[in-house]
Structures are given as C-alpha cells and as structure tokens.
Amino acid sequence: MKRRIALLGSTGSMGTQALQVIDQFPNLFEIELLSAHSNADLLIQQALNYKPNVVVIIDDNHYLKVKNALSKEDCKVFAGMQSLVDCMEMNSIDMMLSCIVGIAGLKPVYAAIENEIPIALANKETLVVAGELMMQKVKENNVPIIPVDSEHSAIFQCLMGEQGNFVEKIILTASGGPFRGKTTTELENVTLAQALNHPNWSMGNKITIDSATLMNKGLEVIEAKWLFNMDIDKIEVIVHPQSIIHSLVQFTDGSMKAQLGLPDMKLPIQYALTFPQRLKNDFPRFSFTDYPFFSFEKPDIQAFPCLSLAYNALKEGGNKPCVLNAANEVTVVQFLNGKIKFTDIPKIIEKALYTIPFSKPQTIEEYLEVDRETREKVNFCSFI
Ligand code: MN
C-alpha cells in the first residue's frame, strides 16, 4: 500500500522540491492532501497532476478559482487555516510533510501531532516559537518527527545507531550566506538583489534573507535544541562556505560524525520520507575533485548579530523565541518590500526583544497572541 502524504506548502520552493522527490517513487507515495497559501495557479496544476483527495487554499480570496478549476475532479476543495487544521483529523493521512514557511505552520503541525500523524518537518519556525510545547506533545503521543532541514537531517543521521551514547556537542554548519566576510559598514549598503543571491542553496525568499543575516542559523540552533533535547551550550555553529558537510555530532570519546552531500534539499526530503530506508535515486552525486578544499571559520557575530540574538532569546526562554521569530518575519518582509535596510533587521529584532516583556505562554493560542502583539508593535511603532 502506498504511503498517503499531506503536503503543506506545496507551491513553495521546498514543496515543489518535495514533489520532485515523490516523482522518483510513484509506487511508494501518493498525495492525499495539498495546501498552499495563495499560489492558486500552481496549486491547481499540482492538483490536476497528483490527484489528491483534498486541496486547501489558505487565502480564501482564491477559493472560487481553485474550486471551479477542480470541479470535474474527484477532490474536495477547502479554504482557510481552520480547514487545514481540521483536515489533520482525516485518518487517510499516513504522513505530513510541512513545507509551510513561518509561524503559519504552527497550528496545522500541532494538530498533526495531536492526531498522531508522523511528521517530516521542514517548517523550523514551529519549533522555534513553541518547541517546548510541541516536543511535550510529540512525547505524549509518541509521534515520529523527522527533520527535513539539512543540518538537522545530518544530525539525525549521525545519531542513528548511537542510542545510549553520550553526545558532547552538536555542530551546525552555516554557509555564511552571500555577505560572508563583509563588515558592518559594508553591510549598510547591500541591496535586496545581493541578499537574494545565495552562493550555494536554491531556496525561497524568506529563508534566503535569513541565511544572509545568519538568523537562519540562529533559528536552527533553537530548532536543534528542541529536536535533539540538547543544552544550548552544547550547540555550536561553524561557517563552512562550501555547504558540503551538513552538520556534525561529537561524542563522549571525542569522535565526530558528519553527514556530507551536495547542497540539494531533495536529499534530506527523501531521507525524511523514506526513513529508515535509503532508496536509490537519480540525483547528482558529490565528487571530491569538484571540491578539493573544505574551509571553516568562526561566525562573525559583530557583523551578523542575529545569531547572538537567537542564542539570547533561547537562553531567556518563555515568549522570547516567539518574539524573535515574529520580529524577524516582519522585518524580512519589510526588507523584501524595500522598506528597511539590511542592517535594520537585527536592530528592530533586538528592540522588539527588550521592549516586549517576558511571559510564559502555555498554549498554542497564547503563543499566537505573542506573535500578534509583536507583529503589531514592529509594524506600527517606530522601531528604528
Ligand atoms: Mn538549514
């Protein structure tokens, strides 16, 4: 029997790459549900190709367009976030692959955990915002949660077969992004086009800007803390500009394991979908002669303060990682829209972190309230 997949965020960069992986294994997987935020045209095309039983468009302005285009298909069409959350009660979903960007993934991912649906998680912000609550529920319900983020997939793979062995530290690798080596002064005048030009990875806009500010690595430190139940002082970041070593684990005997491969998100997506198996695919292979040099350097936290802001937010705990994430999501959009400078991003996030008082949200709704409050403050107060 084929594994029935709910693919959330199917029209984005990760979602479309996930479908390319699924194309490789037509006998193993079928699409049960597709959801997208607002790219109705691509969602319709995907639905015609993959014949899911359910399609959800989050932005209900596009509902009629999607509904009409799929009227001849044997397919239910819904609109809105609550519909997507309700769909997680379908017992025809064998696995959820969440490729949603940002806190928008929080409710559906939490609903999947509540309904004991195994999760392949590309949506790091859900763990950044509410990692403690999420992992508590994951434990209670004994739901497998398999990371798709390449660094976390690497760590997950390095930990295979090491049950009971003590981990001294985990080391997340970072490419350093397009502005590696630049000083704060030089960063004052970088353009959006330069920020979107990532040297190694082809990704969506949000994560590409996060990579340029190093916030992406900060979010990944928080993600790693929750996924692997690690103390924050045992999570290190090293810049590795070639992006071939995807991350490392150091064990109690000083031995280190690393996972290597070309920078291609299809590899961690496939591993998450086929875990614990490794299946043959046609993706390009890595060659050492194409990459004769690997190099490593310390991240420059003077020029890229977002990484330290994330560490500090995680140390403080409570609502702070949620504030960090919300302020980051808003400022990234502002930067993408040409409203602020690249170097304003960390300044505004820092201001949000010390302006919004500490609290300890206990429920998903309370986290969403912190998110709303932060967005409002960052959007409407003069934070620069
Ligand atoms: Mn990553």
Side-chain angles (χ1 to χ4, degrees):
M1 211 170 125
K2 291 185 193 178
R3 210 163 186 197
R4 294 161 298 183
I5 308 284
L7 175 56
L8 279 58
S10 66
T11 58
S13 166
M14 285 294 283
T16 51
Q17 292 183 77
L19 288 171
Q20 290 170 29
V21 172
I22 285 166
D23 288 342
Q24 299 261 314
F25 307 103
N27 300 322
L28 290 186
F29 302 112
E30 62 188 339
I31 299 290
E32 177 67 12
L33 177 150
L34 289 174
S35 84
H37 179 260
S38 51
N39 189 343
D41 292 325
L42 184 53
L43 183 63
I44 291 164
Q45 193 192 316
Q46 290 175 339
L48 294 171
N49 280 343
Y50 292 93
K51 315 248 172 250
N53 280 319
V54 177
V55 166
V56 184
I57 180 93
I58 301 297
D59 181 348
D60 53 18
N61 290 315
H62 302 279
Y63 172 67
L64 283 178
K65 182 177 188 181
V66 178
K67 173 94 182 145
N68 292 338
L70 299 176
S71 61
K72 293 201 179 75
E73 301 296 305
D74 182 17
C75 166
K76 297 187 195 71
V77 178
F78 300 117
M81 181 52 82
Q82 191 53 46
S83 302
L84 180 59
V85 170
D86 292 343
C87 284
M88 294 304 115
E89 287 174 23
M90 290 160 56
N91 51 21
S92 54
I93 299 172
D94 297 320
M95 183 173 220
M96 171 214 252
L97 172 51
S98 177
C99 298
I100 293 178
V101 178
I103 196 175
L106 190 62
K107 274 188 149 181
V109 170
Y110 194 71
I113 300 170
E114 281 188 310
N115 289 290
E116 299 178 20
I117 298 171
I119 296 167
L121 189 69
N123 180 201
K124 67 189 83 185
E125 294 90 346
T126 56
L127 285 178
V128 170
V129 168
E132 191 166 9
L133 189 59
M134 291 279 203
M135 294 314 283
Q136 210 178 304
K137 203 63 165 170
V138 160
K139 228 175 160 182
E140 260 172 51
N141 289 4
N142 199 18
V143 180
I145 180 156
I146 303 166
V148 175
D149 207 346
S150 63
E151 295 78 2
H152 305 73
S153 175
I155 292 161
F156 188 81
Q157 293 179 56
C158 292
L159 291 172
M160 282 300 117
E162 299 286 355
Q163 279 74 9
N165 287 331
F166 186 75
V167 173
E168 236 168 38
K169 63 180 178 188
I170 60 182
I171 300 146
L172 299 174
T173 53
S175 69
F179 302 139
R180 184 176 60 89
K182 283 201 190 301
T183 62
T184 312
T185 323
E186 289 167 333
L187 289 173
E188 291 284 338
N189 299 312
V190 296
T191 65
L192 175 60
Q194 289 171 322
L196 286 173
N197 187 21
H198 196 279
N200 303 338
W201 293 96
S202 148
M203 305 178 290
N205 282 353
K206 196 263 179 182
I207 186 173
T208 303
I209 300 305
D210 285 348
S211 295
T213 60
L214 284 200
M215 181 57 92
N216 183 51
K217 214 47 56 180
L219 301 178
E220 290 181 353
V221 167
I222 304 176
E223 182 187 12
K225 188 232 157 25
W226 296 117
L227 272 176
F228 305 112
N229 190 25
M230 290 299 289
D231 287 343
I232 182 173
D233 55 359
K234 291 181 176 171
I235 306 171
E236 282 182 17
V237 171
I238 188 84
V239 173
H240 164 50
Q242 295 78 23
S243 295
I244 298 297
I245 299 176
H246 296 309
S247 279
L248 311 92
V249 177
Q250 180 175 309
F251 294 93
T252 193
D253 59 354
S255 194
M256 298 172 97
K257 279 166 79 174
Q259 186 262 341
L260 287 73
L262 288 172
D264 181 347
M265 285 312 299
K266 292 198 288 299
L267 299 180
I269 294 169
Q270 177 179 322
Y271 187 76
L273 289 176
T274 66
F275 171 79
Q277 282 181 291
R278 292 186 184 275
L279 301 182
K280 180 162 175 56
N281 61 33
D282 300 333
F283 306 145
R285 265 47 177 167
F286 169 75
S287 155
F288 275 102
T289 49
D290 291 341
Y291 292 85
F293 302 107
F294 284 179
S295 62
F296 305 92
E297 56 196 66
K298 263 186 150 170
D300 179 354
I301 53 171
Q302 301 302 323
F304 301 94
C306 284
L307 183 56
S308 317
L309 292 175
Y311 267 102
N312 292 340
L314 179 57
K315 267 181 215 150
E316 285 189 64
N319 61 341
K320 294 293 174 169
C322 180
V323 171
L324 173 96
N325 179 71
N328 183 55
E329 288 193 28
V330 174
T331 49
V332 167
V333 170
Q334 289 176 339
F335 177 66
L336 286 169
N337 292 336
K339 300 255 163 64
I340 59 171
K341 288 197 300 184
F342 184 77
T343 42
D344 292 332
I345 296 174
K347 285 180 201 160
I348 296 172
I349 296 168
E350 187 175 16
K351 194 153 184 194
L353 279 169
Y354 70 66
T355 308
I356 292 165
F358 180 85
S359 68
K360 276 193 162 177
Q362 302 293 324
T363 62
I364 293 294
E365 279 309 328
E366 287 175 19
Y367 279 109
L368 289 170
E369 187 49 42
V370 172
D371 179 77
R372 268 190 292 270
E373 190 193 335
T374 308
R375 282 168 193 268
E376 215 166 274
K377 287 222 164 95
V378 174
N379 265 319
F380 300 112
C381 303
S382 146
F383 256 22
I384 307 176

mmCIF file of all heavy atoms in Angstrom, residues 309-326:
data_model
loop_
_atom_site.group_PDB
_atom_site.id
_atom_site.type_symbol
_atom_site.label_atom_id
_atom_site.label_comp_id
_atom_site.label_asym_id
_atom_site.label_seq_id
_atom_site.Cartn_x
_atom_site.Cartn_y
_atom_site.Cartn_z
ATOM 1 N N LEU A 309 21.366 37.145 18.865
ATOM 2 C CA LEU A 309 20.007 37.448 19.327
ATOM 3 C C LEU A 309 19.221 36.157 19.531
ATOM 4 O O LEU A 309 18.472 36.015 20.498
ATOM 5 C CB LEU A 309 19.279 38.349 18.317
ATOM 6 C CG LEU A 309 19.802 39.783 18.180
ATOM 7 C CD1 LEU A 309 19.063 40.513 17.057
ATOM 8 C CD2 LEU A 309 19.650 40.543 19.500
ATOM 9 N N ALA A 310 19.426 35.199 18.627
ATOM 10 C CA ALA A 310 18.713 33.919 18.739
ATOM 11 C C ALA A 310 19.202 33.124 19.955
ATOM 12 O O ALA A 310 18.391 32.579 20.706
ATOM 13 C CB ALA A 310 18.882 33.110 17.456
ATOM 14 N N TYR A 311 20.514 33.083 20.148
ATOM 15 C CA TYR A 311 21.046 32.394 21.337
ATOM 16 C C TYR A 311 20.479 33.021 22.609
ATOM 17 O O TYR A 311 20.065 32.326 23.533
ATOM 18 C CB TYR A 311 22.580 32.465 21.369
ATOM 19 C CG TYR A 311 23.293 31.285 20.728
ATOM 20 C CD1 TYR A 311 23.841 31.383 19.457
ATOM 21 C CD2 TYR A 311 23.427 30.080 21.418
ATOM 22 C CE1 TYR A 311 24.502 30.306 18.873
ATOM 23 C CE2 TYR A 311 24.094 29.003 20.842
ATOM 24 C CZ TYR A 311 24.630 29.124 19.568
ATOM 25 O OH TYR A 311 25.272 28.064 19.004
ATOM 26 N N ASN A 312 20.464 34.358 22.661
ATOM 27 C CA ASN A 312 19.960 35.041 23.853
ATOM 28 C C ASN A 312 18.478 34.772 24.075
ATOM 29 O O ASN A 312 18.053 34.552 25.209
ATOM 30 C CB ASN A 312 20.210 36.557 23.757
ATOM 31 C CG ASN A 312 21.695 36.870 23.832
ATOM 32 O OD1 ASN A 312 22.487 36.050 24.321
ATOM 33 N ND2 ASN A 312 22.080 38.031 23.346
ATOM 34 N N ALA A 313 17.702 34.793 23.001
ATOM 35 C CA ALA A 313 16.265 34.533 23.126
ATOM 36 C C ALA A 313 16.036 33.120 23.654
ATOM 37 O O ALA A 313 15.176 32.888 24.509
ATOM 38 C CB ALA A 313 15.580 34.719 21.776
ATOM 39 N N LEU A 314 16.820 32.184 23.181
ATOM 40 C CA LEU A 314 16.676 30.805 23.639
ATOM 41 C C LEU A 314 17.066 30.681 25.114
ATOM 42 O O LEU A 314 16.405 29.989 25.889
ATOM 43 C CB LEU A 314 17.548 29.871 22.771
ATOM 44 C CG LEU A 314 17.531 28.388 23.131
ATOM 45 C CD1 LEU A 314 16.116 27.822 23.105
ATOM 46 C CD2 LEU A 314 18.406 27.595 22.164
ATOM 47 N N LYS A 315 18.128 31.391 25.509
ATOM 48 C CA LYS A 315 18.554 31.365 26.922
ATOM 49 C C LYS A 315 17.470 31.921 27.820
ATOM 50 O O LYS A 315 17.194 31.376 28.876
ATOM 51 C CB LYS A 315 19.841 32.185 27.095
ATOM 52 C CG LYS A 315 21.093 31.335 26.983
ATOM 53 C CD LYS A 315 22.345 32.183 27.192
ATOM 54 C CE LYS A 315 23.451 31.667 26.296
ATOM 55 N NZ LYS A 315 24.384 32.694 25.870
ATOM 56 N N GLU A 316 16.852 33.027 27.391
ATOM 57 C CA GLU A 316 15.786 33.618 28.199
ATOM 58 C C GLU A 316 14.551 32.738 28.215
ATOM 59 O O GLU A 316 13.858 32.653 29.219
ATOM 60 C CB GLU A 316 15.417 35.002 27.668
ATOM 61 C CG GLU A 316 16.432 36.073 28.012
ATOM 62 C CD GLU A 316 15.887 37.444 27.647
ATOM 63 O OE1 GLU A 316 14.879 37.874 28.231
ATOM 64 O OE2 GLU A 316 16.457 38.073 26.741
ATOM 65 N N GLY A 317 14.259 32.098 27.116
ATOM 66 C CA GLY A 317 13.127 31.167 27.031
ATOM 67 C C GLY A 317 11.789 31.886 27.036
ATOM 68 O O GLY A 317 11.698 33.057 26.660
ATOM 69 N N GLY A 318 10.745 31.189 27.503
ATOM 70 C CA GLY A 318 9.389 31.747 27.550
ATOM 71 C C GLY A 318 8.934 32.216 26.182
ATOM 72 O O GLY A 318 9.043 31.482 25.195
ATOM 73 N N ASN A 319 8.454 33.478 26.138
ATOM 74 C CA ASN A 319 7.928 34.010 24.878
ATOM 75 C C ASN A 319 9.022 34.569 23.956
ATOM 76 O O ASN A 319 8.742 34.960 22.832
ATOM 77 C CB ASN A 319 6.920 35.132 25.173
ATOM 78 C CG ASN A 319 7.562 36.300 25.925
ATOM 79 O OD1 ASN A 319 8.628 36.144 26.535
ATOM 80 N ND2 ASN A 319 6.929 37.457 25.880
ATOM 81 N N LYS A 320 10.278 34.625 24.434
ATOM 82 C CA LYS A 320 11.305 35.358 23.690
ATOM 83 C C LYS A 320 11.617 34.771 22.302
ATOM 84 O O LYS A 320 11.729 35.525 21.333
ATOM 85 C CB LYS A 320 12.576 35.504 24.515
ATOM 86 C CG LYS A 320 12.410 36.381 25.743
ATOM 87 C CD LYS A 320 12.148 37.849 25.362
ATOM 88 C CE LYS A 320 11.835 38.660 26.610
ATOM 89 N NZ LYS A 320 11.829 40.101 26.362
ATOM 90 N N PRO A 321 11.753 33.448 22.178
ATOM 91 C CA PRO A 321 11.968 32.935 20.816
ATOM 92 C C PRO A 321 10.799 33.250 19.876
ATOM 93 O O PRO A 321 11.007 33.461 18.674
ATOM 94 C CB PRO A 321 12.121 31.424 21.020
ATOM 95 C CG PRO A 321 12.616 31.284 22.429
ATOM 96 C CD PRO A 321 11.909 32.377 23.190
ATOM 97 N N CYS A 322 9.593 33.304 20.428
ATOM 98 C CA CYS A 322 8.410 33.649 19.625
ATOM 99 C C CYS A 322 8.484 35.109 19.187
ATOM 100 O O CYS A 322 8.197 35.434 18.028
ATOM 101 C CB CYS A 322 7.145 33.372 20.449
ATOM 102 S SG CYS A 322 5.617 33.758 19.598
ATOM 103 N N VAL A 323 8.914 35.988 20.096
ATOM 104 C CA VAL A 323 9.095 37.414 19.757
ATOM 105 C C VAL A 323 10.169 37.554 18.680
ATOM 106 O O VAL A 323 10.000 38.267 17.687
ATOM 107 C CB VAL A 323 9.483 38.226 21.022
ATOM 108 C CG1 VAL A 323 9.897 39.647 20.653
ATOM 109 C CG2 VAL A 323 8.331 38.233 22.023
ATOM 110 N N LEU A 324 11.282 36.844 18.891
ATOM 111 C CA LEU A 324 12.386 36.860 17.921
ATOM 112 C C LEU A 324 11.875 36.474 16.539
ATOM 113 O O LEU A 324 12.137 37.145 15.536
ATOM 114 C CB LEU A 324 13.471 35.861 18.369
ATOM 115 C CG LEU A 324 14.626 35.614 17.405
ATOM 116 C CD1 LEU A 324 15.817 36.507 17.765
ATOM 117 C CD2 LEU A 324 15.091 34.162 17.431
ATOM 118 N N ASN A 325 11.124 35.378 16.488
ATOM 119 C CA ASN A 325 10.646 34.885 15.208
ATOM 120 C C ASN A 325 9.670 35.855 14.551
ATOM 121 O O ASN A 325 9.771 36.125 13.353
ATOM 122 C CB ASN A 325 9.983 33.514 15.383
ATOM 123 C CG ASN A 325 9.462 32.977 14.070
ATOM 124 O OD1 ASN A 325 10.237 32.589 13.212
ATOM 125 N ND2 ASN A 325 8.153 33.002 13.879
ATOM 126 N N ALA A 326 8.735 36.385 15.339
ATOM 127 C CA ALA A 326 7.733 37.302 14.773
ATOM 128 C C ALA A 326 8.411 38.568 14.246
ATOM 129 O O ALA A 326 8.126 39.014 13.133
ATOM 130 C CB ALA A 326 6.688 37.654 15.830
#
